[in-house]
Every structure is written in structure tokens, then in C-alpha cells.
Amino acid sequence: MIGKAMQDTINEQINKELFSSYLYLSMAAYFEDKSLPGFAHWMRMQEAEEREHAMKFYDFLLERGGKVMLKAIDAPKTEWTSTMEVMQEVAEHEAKVTASIYALYELALKEKDYPAQMMLQWFITEQVEEEKNAAEIIASLKMIEAHETAVLQLDHRLGKRGGD
Ligand code: FEO
């Protein structure tokens, strides 16, 4: 049977994963509105993954004789100023999720909860992937921005052409 501290913290983590799902669903709607269906698709896939994460914790609690206690999910933002801002928020959000997974792992070590440690190792690996995915998209967006800056510089230079 799972201990009370682990049970409570896993219930909080279920809420965090469901909030992540809500956040990405809101970002998907933002991208649909901006006529960026590829980004919207990526966000919908991300949203589905977050529900799977929540369910992994949910099933783990039930398997261990714990009690699932769902809490209210905060409303996510609905507006962003740019694609870059959205992706930077994804990266920051995933870094926070990683920190909470590490805190859960530390609790599992302290409580000598070996099954929880095994389960959390999957999440530790998953978070490496999640952070990498966001960083790669940000790197691509930066390259696009750099390209646009270079085109503007060229435009400026071409604008100085004098008559022969
Ligand atoms: Fe469930 Fe994106 O971490």
C-alpha cells in the first residue's frame, strides 16, 4: 500500500499533467486561429500525451491501493503574441514539470518506495524528450528569425542603389 505523502504528491502531479493537457489544448486552438494547422496538430498530439501521463499516475495510485483525488484544473492562457512566445512557454512549462518529477523521485527515495522509483524513472526519461522537442522547435524558429533579419539587411542594402 502506498504511503500518504506519496499518494498526496502523486494526486498533485495528476493535476499538473491535466493542466498541461489543458494548456496545450488552448495552444492548439490559438494555432488553429492563426491558420497554422501543423503547430495545432503538434499541440493536439502533445495534449494527448499529457492525458496519458496523468493516467499513468492515476493507474499507479489505484494499483498500489491509493486513493485518486482529482482537483480543480486551472484555466490556461488563451492569448500569446507570437509563435516563439508559445514555444518558449512550452519549454518553461516542461522545465517546471521536470522539477516536480524530480521532487517526486526524491520523495520516493526518502520513503523507500521502490515501485514509485521504478515508475518515475520512465517519467525522468520522458522529460528529457519533452524538453528536447521544445528546444528543437525554438532553435528552428530562431533560424527563421535570423533568416528574416538577413533578408531585411539585404533589402536595406539594395535600397541604397544609386542611378548609373
Ligand atoms: Fe507530462 Fe509534458 O510532461
Side-chain angles (χ1 to χ4, degrees):
M1 179 118 178
I2 196 158
K4 171 121 180 32
M6 281 304 296
Q7 173 183 288
D8 291 348
T9 317
I10 288 176
N11 271 312
E12 280 168 26
Q13 191 64 34
I14 291 173
N15 186 265
K16 287 176 188 170
E17 301 291 346
L18 290 174
F19 174 75
S20 301
S21 154
Y22 239 37
L23 176 64
Y24 297 144
L25 199 54
S26 188
M27 289 173 170
Y30 167 84
F31 282 128
E32 294 281 3
D33 186 56
K34 299 291 173 201
S35 300
L36 287 170
F39 276 92
H41 171 74
W42 191 91
M43 285 297 172
R44 283 179 188 236
M45 301 285 290
Q46 190 70 11
E47 181 275 327
E49 271 194 17
E50 299 302 349
R51 270 183 291 123
E52 282 173 25
H53 294 171
M55 291 311 293
K56 269 186 195 285
F57 282 115
Y58 177 106
D59 287 334
F60 180 78
L61 263 189
L62 295 177
E63 280 165 16
R64 301 282 311 285
K67 185 167 171 55
V68 171
M69 286 179 282
L70 299 177
K71 302 169 198 307
I73 305 168
D74 290 340
K77 271 171 71 172
T78 55
E79 292 298 333
W80 290 268
T81 56
S82 65
T83 303
M84 179 64 101
E85 191 193 41
V86 177
M87 292 314 303
Q88 278 171 338
E89 190 167 329
V90 171
E92 283 161 23
H93 182 72
E94 287 302 329
K96 276 192 217 152
V97 173
T98 300
S100 70
I101 296 283
Y102 288 176
L104 246 178
Y105 192 74
E106 278 163 25
L107 181 64
L109 290 174
K110 184 168 147 272
E111 300 276 312
K112 295 189 169 29
D113 187 331
Y114 302 110
Q117 290 170 29
M118 295 288 290
M119 181 268 296
L120 287 163
Q121 280 167 15
W122 182 90
F123 278 96
I124 290 169
T125 307
E126 174 72 2
Q127 283 309 117
V128 171
E129 187 69 22
E130 296 264 288
E131 290 194 38
K132 178 171 158 272
N133 291 342
E136 280 176 358
I137 297 171
I138 290 169
S140 298
L141 287 170
K142 280 185 180 159
M143 274 191 260
I144 293 165
E145 278 181 359
H147 173 79
E148 283 172 358
T149 303
V151 170
L152 284 174
Q153 283 167 347
L154 177 61
D155 183 69
H156 183 70
R157 185 157 65 83
L158 296 180
K160 288 187 179 316
R161 178 180 174 177
D164 302 326

